Amino acid sequence: MEERHRKILQRNRSNLVKDLDPSSLYDGLIENGVFTQDMVDEIKSCATRREQARKLVVDLETRGSRAFPLFLQCLQETGQHSLAELLRNGAPAIQLQPATPTQAVRPVLQPLPVSSPMDVDKQRKDDVPVYPMPRPSTTPTPCNYKMDASPCGHCLIINNVEFDPQSELSNRRGSNIDCDKLESRFKALNFIVDVKTNLKQRQIKHELSALSKKDHSQYDCCVVIMLSHGTEVSHNRFPGAVYGVDGQHVPVQYITNYLNGQHCPSLQGKPKLFFIQACGGGEKDTGFEVSPDEVEPSIGGADDQTDAIPTSSSSDSLSTSDELDARPTLPTPSDILVSYSTFPGYVSWRDTQSGSWYVETLYRILDENASTDDLVTMLMMVNHEVSQNSAKGLYKQMPGSFNFLRKLLYFQSQA
């Protein structure tokens, strides 16, 4: 599909998801070679009309150059004129060129054999479509996570701002701004939000343990957000660690283990999301040169600070007597996504007046796109926008994720 047509679909995705009747389009899209039967069957496997409409539009963007005008034609033929007009107003005049050398888009009934087998074989070859579409993967792929419970689930925010003097860690000015933004955003996404402030290491572990012991059976998702100083530690799955206000840290892989399927059975098969606003280390990224077309305005200011702490050699602040449900030696968890504010080993920048680059961008992307885009797509938007910023006109930052989700995750539509 041409890029201008793809952008028209993306700009109008919200209206398409809201109003599109996908069931009336399937036959026409198959007959015109836009989708295969397998692709339509996969779209139909989505539970609701909205989910089917969303997947149809997303899959449509991957099709060939004739997919967009043929989609408009199918909308007109099925009486969805307002949507067709909406898309047409955003596109230049389109004229469908006849397929050459033949235009076999509908099967033709033939009389009982009056020709030789050789003629029949020749006819079958002539009926091959002129514009074959790439065959989609036949690997079974589930559609979306169930995310319609009300409330959707619990969201725990741990916001460490004021650190004990003996910890030798600076206070994190601007973190309360991050906390307020995330609290309001996840409440708007229908989560039960619980904010804890200035916790020591042992208190962090207590809150995570308490969250894992809750009954999540009536909910669809669980979110943990850590706002603190961070550092590197040795790990075998998820890198990094976050500090309590006492200067003792908790590795990220310990944090995720509290909610995995073994330690929190009522969250088995449900998405567990972790957002880590903390440094992954002490190295500062000065970036590399790119062409002027790649550069966009940056928002870094003179008040930028980092959440960096010198690298720790290992998980030395956690003894072997720690609680059983915090062991880091379990099989790789499924249905977990960990989003980091910065690439492991590098600092994470925070403006004392407007909050951290990562949270500020995440808040806005969720606000603008949660009703139409899945979580992983939105996190890529966050990665791109944060990567354009510069601290003190020099230093860069690159967020990233460790994704063990098995399905697409769409948050509930915001009121």
Side-chain angles (χ1 to χ4, degrees):
M1 177 175 292
E2 295 182 19
E3 184 61 26
R4 69 181 191 276
H5 293 157
R6 187 176 292 110
K7 288 182 177 179
I8 291 170
L9 290 175
Q10 291 170 352
R11 285 197 301 268
N12 293 283
R13 186 179 297 174
S14 178
N15 288 322
L16 288 167
V17 169
K18 180 166 65 77
D19 298 329
L20 186 68
D21 176 17
S23 62
S24 64
L25 298 172
Y26 295 142
D27 289 343
L29 293 175
I30 292 174
E31 290 173 1
N32 286 292
V34 178
F35 287 156
T36 65
Q37 185 64 56
D38 287 344
M39 295 185 72
V40 168
D41 289 344
E42 186 175 337
I43 295 171
K44 287 181 178 179
S45 70
C46 296
T48 66
R49 182 204 60 80
R50 286 180 64 92
E51 290 176 353
Q52 290 186 27
R54 181 183 287 114
K55 183 161 181 58
L56 187 152
V57 175
V58 171
D59 288 354
L60 185 67
E61 295 174 16
T62 69
R63 312 310 287 161
S65 60
R66 288 167 54 83
F68 185 83
L70 287 171
F71 178 62
L72 292 183
Q73 177 181 308
C74 289
L75 287 174
Q76 289 284 11
E77 291 175 351
T78 57
Q80 302 184 62
H81 304 295
S82 60
L83 288 178
E85 189 66 22
L86 180 69
L87 298 179
R88 187 177 290 107
N89 287 340
I94 298 171
Q95 296 225 334
L96 280 177
Q97 298 299 322
T100 57
T102 74
Q103 204 172 15
V105 294
R106 294 180 182 272
V108 179
L109 293 177
Q110 299 291 342
L112 290 175
V114 293
S115 56
S116 69
M118 184 177 297
D119 293 334
V120 174
D121 289 339
K122 181 178 183 301
Q123 180 186 14
R124 286 174 181 162
K125 291 178 183 177
D126 291 341
D127 284 343
V128 174
V130 178
Y131 294 93
M133 297 294 182
R135 181 175 177 81
S137 170
T138 57
T139 304
T141 55
C143 199
N144 306 331
Y145 281 107
K146 178 181 178 297
M147 290 287 287
D148 57 2
S150 186
C152 189
H154 288 282
C155 173
L156 172 64
I157 302 177
I158 295 178
N159 180 31
N160 285 346
V161 182
E162 299 176 355
F163 288 77
D164 297 344
Q166 61 269 27
S167 72
E168 299 184 353
L169 302 175
S170 62
N171 292 339
R172 301 180 60 256
R173 290 187 299 154
S175 186
N176 286 331
I177 299 172
D178 287 347
C179 185
D180 291 343
K181 288 179 178 178
L182 291 172
E183 180 182 6
S184 66
R185 180 50 42 213
F186 279 91
K187 282 183 177 178
L189 295 173
N190 201 16
F191 282 84
I192 305 167
V193 181
D194 187 17
V195 177
K196 302 294 181 181
T197 305
N198 296 333
L199 300 187
K200 298 179 180 179
Q201 178 211 57
R202 181 62 59 179
Q203 294 171 317
I204 292 175
K205 293 164 65 179
H206 172 78
E207 292 297 333
L208 291 167
S209 180
L211 181 62
S212 73
K213 291 177 171 60
K214 291 180 182 291
D215 181 7
H216 299 265
S217 57
Q218 62 181 318
Y219 305 122
D220 290 334
C221 182
C222 188
V223 177
V224 173
I225 300 172
M226 305 295 298
L227 310 173
S228 188
H229 285 299
T231 188
E232 283 188 285
V233 296
S234 61
H235 64 280
N236 58 20
R237 187 172 305 125
F238 299 111
V242 295
Y243 277 96
V245 295
D246 56 353
Q248 303 298 308
H249 64 253
V250 183
V252 172
Q253 65 185 25
Y254 278 37
I255 294 170
T256 62
N257 279 348
Y258 278 101
L259 298 182
N260 67 20
Q262 180 174 339
H263 296 128
C264 189
S266 60
L267 280 175
Q268 288 179 358
K270 300 177 181 180
K272 282 79 68 175
L273 313 178
F274 300 83
F275 298 89
I276 312 296
Q277 167 53 46
C279 275
E283 189 169 351
K284 295 179 179 179
D285 185 1
T286 56
F288 59 93
E289 288 192 19
V290 296
S291 67
D293 292 340
E294 296 260 358
V295 178
E296 298 177 10
S298 65
I299 61 172
D303 293 328
D304 291 323
Q305 298 181 346
T306 79
D307 286 327
I309 302 299
T311 301
S312 173
S313 60
S314 67
S315 304
D316 49 11
S317 63
L318 296 171
S319 69
T320 56
S321 62
D322 284 327
E323 300 169 64
L324 183 64
D325 61 351
R327 291 181 302 169
T329 56
L330 299 172
T332 300
S334 62
D335 307 297
I336 283 180
L337 181 142
V338 182
S339 175
Y340 293 87
S341 63
T342 188
F343 192 81
Y346 288 85
V347 300
S348 182
W349 293 97
R350 172 173 32 83
D351 189 291
T352 59
Q353 304 299 318
S354 59
S356 66
W357 295 358
Y358 169 75
V359 171
E360 183 178 14
T361 307
L362 176 64
Y363 170 84
R364 182 170 49 77
I365 293 296
L366 288 173
D367 181 37
E368 296 174 355
N369 299 277
S371 61
T372 57
D373 291 300
D374 68 281
L375 175 60
V376 173
T377 298
M378 289 188 286
L379 289 178
M380 283 193 290
M381 297 178 189
V382 173
N383 294 352
H384 172 70
E385 295 203 15
V386 172
S387 72
Q388 304 300 314
N389 299 339
S390 294
K392 301 175 172 59
L394 178 63
Y395 299 117
K396 310 292 288 184
Q397 181 177 327
M398 186 68 229
S401 302
F402 282 68
N403 181 8
F404 290 93
L405 298 179
R406 298 176 296 112
K407 306 177 184 181
L408 296 178
L409 189 152
Y410 290 92
F411 290 112
Q412 294 181 15
S413 297
Q414 303 169 64

